[in-house]
Every structure is written in C-alpha cells, then in structure tokens.
C-alpha cells in the first residue's frame, strides 16, 4: 500500500466508521392516559445499506424480579417504515421478536402501543394521574446495538413532568439520555404531577420523588434518607452515581425495586400514620438503597450482563436479596434509625419462623435462587412446605456467616469486609461473582475453612444452629417449651361467612389426618369454629386428645379425626448472656455498633 493512500485511509477511516454507527431515538407519548396506552416510537438511523432485516426485541422479564412477565402481550398496532416513510414488511418470529425487512434502507422507524396498567408490578402503568415506565416492559431494543447511546423524547400528557435517574439534554428537559439500553432498562421514568424534593449528600444530588397523597413529614423523610445514604457510604466507601432518585408511589400497592441510580418504592398512606409503619418503610428504603451496590454494581455472574430474552440462572439470589435483607435492618440499627433492642428481640421470631417452615428442610438456598423463575415468584400452594425463601433464610444465613467470620477471626473481620472485598474485586465491568467467590473471600478473612458452612447452609438443608452462632455475640436463645400448646398446623381465613383452609404444614397433626387446602372448616367436636378462634379452641385440649373435625370438601360433608400434639416448634426468647466474655462483648458491640451496657 502506498504511503499517501495509507494516510488518506487513516484520516478517513474514523469518519467512515463513525458514519456507520447507528443512532437510536425513542419517543414516548401518552396522549390518552385513561386508555392506558403508551405510544412508542423507535427510530434507528445510519444502518448499513446492505440488504437485510432488523430484529426488534421486547424483554420477557424486568430486572429485580426473577420471573417471566412476557411483556409482548401488551403490544398492539405495531408498524414499521423506512427513512422516507415507506411502509416496511415485518413479521413476528417469536413471542417477543418483531423482524423488520429493511431492504437497502439505512433508516427504520417502528411504532407501537403498549397497554400499561400494571403499576403494582412496577413494570408499566398509565392512567389519568400519572405514568410509570420500566423500559423492559415498554421499549424494544436491537441486540446488536444494545451497547450504543440513545435518547428518549418524552411527550407528557398536558403539564405533567418527567422524573428519572437518567440525565436530560441540557437544552431539553424532556429529552432523556442513556449511554446504552442496559442503563435505560435500569432507569424507570415517572411522568405526572409528582413532587421532586432535592437534597444533597456529600456533594451529590439526591431526589425524593413522591407520587400520591398522605400525611407525611417530608423534612423528616429527607433527614432519614440522608442518614441511610451516609450509613451506606460509610459501609461501601463511595456513592457510585452522580445523582440518585428515591421514587415513591403512595398507592395501595407495596414493595420496591432497585435500579442503577434509583429505586421505585410503593407504600400505602397508612405508612405515615404510626411510628411502627414508618419504621417498616425505612426498612424498605434501606433495602432498596443497599442494592445500589449489592446487585446493581456487585453483580452475580448469572445476571452479568442481563439476558432480557430468557431466564437468567444463578445460585446467588440469596446473596443479592438475602444479604441485602440482612443488612437493611442491621444498617438501620447501626445508624440509630432502629432500636437495638427491637432487633435483638426480633431474633426470637426469626428463629421460630425458620424452624417452622417445612420448605427449609426440602430446598437449599442455592436451589431456591436457581429456581426463582419457576418457584419463588409463582407463590404456589406448596411453596411454604417445599421451598426455602432466599430472602428470609438468605438473611438468616448471612447473619450466621457474619458472626462465624467474627468468631473465627477473633472479631478482627466480619461479613462487612467480605462484601467490600467482593465489591472491589468484582466490578460491574467484569464477569460477576459466584457463591464460590463468597466462600473463598469469607475463608480469607476468617482464616479457616467454610466448606462445611456452605455445604450445610447454602448447598444443603441442614438446620441452622442459631443457638451456637448467636452465642458468639453473647446472645442466648431460650426455647419457651412450657408455653407450647396443642395445635393443628393449618392456616385458615374467613370469607363470606365460611372458614377456609389455605395452608397445611407438612408433618403437622392436620397434615397427618388428611385435611386439605380448600376444605371449609365447620366444627370441632360438633361446635362451630371460626379462623380467629381456631388456635384457642384447639389449645383447650391436651396433647394426645383426639378431636373430630367436621368440614365440607367439594360440597360433600366429611368428618376427620385428628390426634393433637404440642406445637413442633416452641416460641423463643433471645436475651443477652449474664456474664459475657470479652470476645462476646466485643463482637456484640462492633456488630451492632452499640455498647453492651
Ligand atoms: Zn431486594
């Protein structure tokens, strides 16, 4: 190659490459909010002129909830045109893929509507009051251009405004900018009359966005959110964003979803009526905000990068969710927003619930994580009996892991160090961590093997040894055996004057006697029974007594005999030990950031 030609090519090449980079522009309309129809447009320009087609995909799930939603079901009136407005041929090639034949055209614009009335799933919603958009449920994407920057021009209804974690065009607040589809998919957009309350923490902009009415104290909320932000900054060492948005819907729905620099939380107006309810809300905030690091930055391998079109299998949801659940309460205690005594007293219920759940003996935490797609989020009839809960049990195992590391390292190290090391060693730009990495780093800090711990509690179903482990922190777990009463082992509820069974614990007297889900309870020993008095009525008998249960099953009257036993699992009390060793005291104090007293 001649020198001059080479120079010319070197000069032209970047321009040629640049001119071939497609651009992606979305438009989002909502001209008739009460129809619940969002109007979506995506224009892709600068496509190669070679003949071919483009696949437009709509995710089948959204980040943070590991179950298929099949958002394509809400899409209607799809159409496609080329750069000059000429209609293009298209066909669906699977449930969530629209294949557009573009010929030699270098531009394609697709338009479609999305029926959005699923606010409670925190996926997509539009009504006369506001719009909420999680991109996974609304915006199609092109896999091969997923990494490219994009814009979203929002046309709000009337005088509604836009709130989002995304940056806006400095010249046009309604034009949102995202460096790629993954960031768009992790940045929900609210459009409406929501209040945006700005506050600053460590020089970074934070926004408390509130949709809905309630008797809340915004000043106190901002103060408490600031405390939570600072506690997390102290824990993780940084704030991994330029701005953060706490999005709050005050609605009948409940729950929250974490996103890359925002969270969407939903709670009822009753949240602000009692201190206990408000405390619960702070727990939700603490949980979602901790996720900013644990799962949004520190990501398990199975969800890095996200595959939007299929289930993403991973054994680490108990770390992503359970460890977050552990720290959401712990950090509130450490930063003074929740009383230490409340947490210590609450451990009694945690121990009892863990032991009462039959599913904990059936399914390991690894399996619970992996099968979330077909089990946990389905909430099936058998879930309590056959599944462990990667949130609740994952939180318990995280606590035991924390205390084990503290005990083994003579309280020099803790799970805090392990999480921080994971965060530094597995950045979002890498390949993600696995449960083996957690075990390895735990062993590094503890200075001993954790194989048995992980084999038993993570990959296996061994019962958790709360007594031994809580004693490391000077806490005694006392079983209140004398308070055990005869029981049936059913969950019942009253509806339209009927008392229905909705849960039966594996191995309980009711289970052994053959009571079934959906049975309508009528009487015990010939006397009518209601769900509210069921346990008290049963407790009037003695262990070993046989009682006659009358019920309707499929409209047929039946009578079953049940032999009563004492509750399998007692209630517990967790108290500080009378004479703590220096190590017990020091673990308790650094774990809860408090004085033993
Ligand atoms: Zn969570």
């Amino acid at each position: 190659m001649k020198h001059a030609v080479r120079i010319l090519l070197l000069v032209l090449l970047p321009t040629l490459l640049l001119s071939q980079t497609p651009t992606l522009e979305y438009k989002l309309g909502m001209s008739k909010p009460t129809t619940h129809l969002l109007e979506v447009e995506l224009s892709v320009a600068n496509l190669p002129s070679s003949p071919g087609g483009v696949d437009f995909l709509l995710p089948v799930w959204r980040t943070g909830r590991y179950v298929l939603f099949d958002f394509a079901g809400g899409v209607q009136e799809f159409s496609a045109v080329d750069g000059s407005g000429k209609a293009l041929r298209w066909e669906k090639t699977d449930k969530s893929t629209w294949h557009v034949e573009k010929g030699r055209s270098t531009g394609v614009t697709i338009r479609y509507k999305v029926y959005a009335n699923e606010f409670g799933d925190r996926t997509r919603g539009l009504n006369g009051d506001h719009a909420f958009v999680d991109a996974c449920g609304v915006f199609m994407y092109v896999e091969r251009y997923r990494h490219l920057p994009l814009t979203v021009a929002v046309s709000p209804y009337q005088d509604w405004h836009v709130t989002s974690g995304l940056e806006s065009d400095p010249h046009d607040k309604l034009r949102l900018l995202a460096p790629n589809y993954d960031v768009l998919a992790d940045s929900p957009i609210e459009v409406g009359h929501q209040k945006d309350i700005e506050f600053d923490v460590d020089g970074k902009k934070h926004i408390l966005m509130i949709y809905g009415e309630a008797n809340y104290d915004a000043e106190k909320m901002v103060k408490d959110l600031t405390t939570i932000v600072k506690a997390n900054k102290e824990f993780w060492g940084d704030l991994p964003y330029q701005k953060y948005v706490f999005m709050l819907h005050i609605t009948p729905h409940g729950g929250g979803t974490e996103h890359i620099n925002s969270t969407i939380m939903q709670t009822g107006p009753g949240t602000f009526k009692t201190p206990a309810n408000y405390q619960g809300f702070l727990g939700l905030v603490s949980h979602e905000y901790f996720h900013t690091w644990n799962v949004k930055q520190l990501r398990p391998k199975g969800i890095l990068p996200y595959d939007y079109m299929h289930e993403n299998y991973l054994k680490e949801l108990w770390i992503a969710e359970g460890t977050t659940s552990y720290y959401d309460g712990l950090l509130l205690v450490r930063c003074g927003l929740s009383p230490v005594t409340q947490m210590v007293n609450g451990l009694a219920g945690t121990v009892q619930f863990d032991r009462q759940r039959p599913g904990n003996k059936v399914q390991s935490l690894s399996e619970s994580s992996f099968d979330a797609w077909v089990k946990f989020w389905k909430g099936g009839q058998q879930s309590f009996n056959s599944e462990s809960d990667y949130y609740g049990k994952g939180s318990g195992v995280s606590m035991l892991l924390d205390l084990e590391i503290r005990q083994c390292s003579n309280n020099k190290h803790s799970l805090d160090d392990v999480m921080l090391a994971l965060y530094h060693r597995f950045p979002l730009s890498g390949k993600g961590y696995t449960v083996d990495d957690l075990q390895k780093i735990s062993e590094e800090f503890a200075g001993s093997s954790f194989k048995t711990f992980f084999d038993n509690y993570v990959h296996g179903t061994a019962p958790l040894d709360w007594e031994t482990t809580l004693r490391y922190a000077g806490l005694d777990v006392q079983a209140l055996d004398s308070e055990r009463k005869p029981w049936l082992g059913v969950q019942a509820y009253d509806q339209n004057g009927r008392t229905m069974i909705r849960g039966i614990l594996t191995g309980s007297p009711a289970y052994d006697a053959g009571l079934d889900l959906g049975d309508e309870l009528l009487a015990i020993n010939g006397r009518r029974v209601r769900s509210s008095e069921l346990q008290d009525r049963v407790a009037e008998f003695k262990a070993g007594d046989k009682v006659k249960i009358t019920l309707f099953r499929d409209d047929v009257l039946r009578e079953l005999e049940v032999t009563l036993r004492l509750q399998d699992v007692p209630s517990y009390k967790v108290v500080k030990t009378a004479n703590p060793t220096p190590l017990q005291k020091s673990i308790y104090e650094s774990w809860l950031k408090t004085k033993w007293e």
Side-chain angles (χ1 to χ4, degrees):
M1 195 182 288
K2 289 258 176 67
H3 188 62
V5 175
R6 196 180 298 155
I7 287 175
L8 188 65
L9 268 181
L10 282 174
V11 170
L12 283 179
L13 204 56
T15 323
L16 286 171
L17 285 174
L18 200 67
S19 67
Q20 282 173 3
T21 304
T23 58
L24 301 148
E25 292 181 13
Y26 291 86
K27 286 184 183 166
L28 176 67
M30 50 199 73
S31 59
K32 296 186 186 69
T34 51
T35 64
H36 309 295
L37 287 170
L38 291 165
E39 300 130 15
V40 185
E41 184 177 308
L42 166 57
S43 293
V44 189
N46 261 356
L47 288 164
S49 56
S50 48
V54 183
D55 284 341
F56 291 90
L57 314 173
L58 191 65
V60 300
W61 66 287
R62 69 142 168 87
T63 70
R65 173 122 21 132
Y66 306 93
V67 69
L68 297 190
F69 280 96
D70 288 330
F71 296 120
V75 174
Q76 63 183 68
E77 298 170 63
F78 183 92
S79 65
V81 295
D82 68 9
S84 62
K86 200 178 97 207
L88 294 172
R89 263 188 334 114
W90 61 272
E91 64 172 344
K92 282 192 76 173
T93 52
D94 65 36
K95 65 181 179 180
S96 262
T97 304
W98 285 255
H99 177 80
V100 176
E101 275 304 330
K102 73 170 190 66
R104 291 192 174 279
S105 172
T106 56
V108 173
T109 295
I110 59 166
R111 294 188 183 93
Y112 55 94
K113 291 178 184 168
V114 177
Y115 186 81
N117 197 18
E118 297 134 56
F119 287 102
D121 290 331
R122 298 180 291 282
T123 52
R124 57 191 181 189
L126 170 66
N127 61 23
D129 296 323
H130 69 142
F132 174 80
V133 170
D134 180 311
C136 289
V138 173
F139 294 127
M140 294 186 190
Y141 70 101
V142 181
E143 181 65 39
R144 130 175 54 130
Y145 305 137
R146 181 175 148 184
H147 62 288
L148 294 176
L150 56 92
T151 60
V152 181
V154 183
S155 299
Y157 176 67
Q158 293 185 346
D159 60 345
W160 290 3
H161 70 274
V162 174
T163 308
S164 167
L166 293 171
E167 292 303 319
S168 297
D169 183 332
H171 306 293
D172 181 359
K173 274 165 88 172
L174 296 176
R175 191 163 173 267
L176 304 172
L177 315 171
N180 52 54
Y181 184 82
D182 287 314
V183 171
L184 177 65
D186 231 334
S187 304
I189 300 165
E190 174 84 5
V191 192
H193 285 139
Q194 67 277 8
K195 287 190 189 75
D196 293 327
I197 305 166
E198 276 190 37
F199 60 104
D200 179 284
V201 187
D202 281 2
K204 296 210 167 158
K205 180 156 110 177
H206 292 71
I207 297 171
L208 168 59
M209 182 212 93
I210 305 174
Y211 162 81
E213 297 299 323
N215 191 19
Y216 54 78
D217 179 345
E219 212 173 302
K220 178 164 170 48
M221 278 165 80
V222 166
K223 190 165 155 269
D224 294 341
L225 296 189
T226 302
T227 304
I228 291 170
V229 171
K230 286 186 170 168
N232 277 273
K233 163 115 192 264
E234 193 186 329
F235 185 94
W236 295 101
D238 66 358
L239 298 177
Y241 50 75
Q242 288 313 309
K243 96 172 167 183
Y244 189 92
V245 187
F246 294 94
M247 303 171 109
L248 176 60
H249 285 174
I250 299 175
T251 64
H253 309 297
T257 301
E258 67 280 8
H259 290 287
I260 196 152
N261 66 333
S262 61
T263 172
I264 167 67
M265 300 174 291
Q266 297 176 319
T267 191
T271 292
F272 307 97
K273 284 193 176 144
T274 69
N277 291 357
Y278 181 68
Q279 182 89 45
F281 167 67
L282 290 184
L284 176 65
V285 175
S286 182
H287 181 95
E288 302 307 335
Y289 187 67
F290 192 83
H291 271 315
T292 309
W293 293 263
N294 192 26
V295 95
K296 284 299 151 187
Q297 294 290 326
L298 170 60
R299 194 89 67 80
K301 193 174 168 205
I303 47 172
L304 187 61
Y306 292 123
D307 175 350
Y308 299 110
M309 302 308 289
H310 306 94
E311 295 88 344
N312 293 218
Y313 294 107
L314 65 162
K315 293 180 179 168
E316 291 81 16
L317 278 182
W318 72 273
I319 305 166
E321 290 298 348
T323 307
T324 298
S325 299
Y326 169 53
Y327 276 109
D328 68 38
L330 184 57
L331 289 196
L332 286 185
V333 169
R334 287 184 183 171
C335 71
L337 287 175
S338 178
V340 178
T341 46
Q342 189 177 309
M343 178 175 165
V344 171
N345 294 340
L347 288 171
T350 305
V351 175
Q352 186 186 30
F353 188 77
D354 168 54
R355 290 179 175 166
Q356 263 177 350
R357 182 169 180 134
N360 284 340
K361 299 190 189 93
V362 178
Q363 188 196 45
S364 71
L365 277 180
S366 294
E367 290 173 311
S368 169
S369 301
F370 194 86
D371 274 341
W373 303 90
V374 289
K375 286 183 179 275
F376 182 83
W377 284 103
K378 299 288 182 186
Q381 290 182 342
Q382 184 66 351
S383 59
F384 199 72
N385 283 330
S386 67
E387 297 171 29
S388 64
D389 161 15
Y390 60 77
Y391 281 84
K393 189 175 176 187
S395 169
V397 169
S398 301
M399 182 185 292
L400 300 195
L401 179 60
D402 192 4
L403 294 175
E404 282 286 349
I405 296 167
R406 288 174 189 271
Q407 175 73 11
C408 292
S409 68
N410 209 19
N411 203 30
K412 281 197 187 65
H413 296 293
S414 68
L415 186 59
D416 302 6
D417 300 306
V418 175
M419 294 307 289
L420 198 59
L422 272 173
Y423 175 51
H424 288 145
R425 291 186 208 176
F426 295 91
L428 196 54
S429 53
K431 288 192 170 8
Y433 75 91
T434 64
V435 67
D436 291 342
D437 296 313
L438 176 70
Q439 182 182 332
K440 208 174 112 236
I441 297 177
S442 299
E443 290 171 345
E444 263 176 52
F445 281 103
S448 56
S449 169
F450 270 58
K451 185 175 185 309
T452 309
F453 184 98
F454 278 76
D455 283 353
N456 283 346
Y457 294 163
V458 175
H459 306 300
T461 57
L464 305 185
D465 186 353
W466 291 97
E467 281 79 357
T468 302
T469 317
L470 285 175
R471 205 170 295 128
Y472 298 154
L475 296 177
D476 286 333
V477 179
Q478 298 172 355
L480 304 175
D481 282 320
S482 59
E483 293 180 13
R484 287 207 283 175
K485 295 190 168 75
W487 72 315
L488 273 178
V490 300
Q491 294 167 318
Y493 67 103
D494 289 342
Q495 188 179 48
N496 301 330
R498 301 164 76 197
T499 300
M500 310 299 296
I501 294 183
R502 69 165 152 215
I504 296 177
L505 264 64
T506 301
S508 64
Y511 179 90
D512 291 343
L515 273 78
D516 202 356
L517 295 175
D519 284 350
E520 180 188 351
L521 279 179
L522 296 175
I524 296 177
N525 282 356
R527 279 176 55 212
R528 183 182 265 287
V529 67
R530 300 286 186 197
S531 67
S532 56
E533 53 165 12
L534 180 59
Q535 182 51 39
D536 288 345
R537 286 277 303 282
V538 173
E540 290 168 3
F541 295 92
K542 291 194 303 295
D545 283 354
K546 294 181 191 314
V547 296
K548 284 196 171 26
I549 306 274
T550 315
L551 53 85
F552 269 123
R553 181 178 300 164
D554 295 334
D555 290 342
V556 177
L557 192 65
R558 293 167 193 255
E559 197 169 78
L560 297 174
E561 187 180 78
V562 182
T563 306
L564 297 176
R565 292 196 312 269
L566 292 180
Q567 288 165 307
D568 294 347
V569 178
S571 302
Y572 295 91
K573 204 168 140 189
V574 175
V575 294
K576 286 202 277 186
T577 194
N579 298 302
T581 64
L583 181 59
Q584 283 177 318
K585 220 167 136 177
S586 113
I587 288 179
Y588 179 90
E589 291 189 339
S590 57
W591 174 41
L592 301 174
K593 282 213 173 24
T594 187
K595 284 267 158 232
W596 176 273
E597 291 168 339

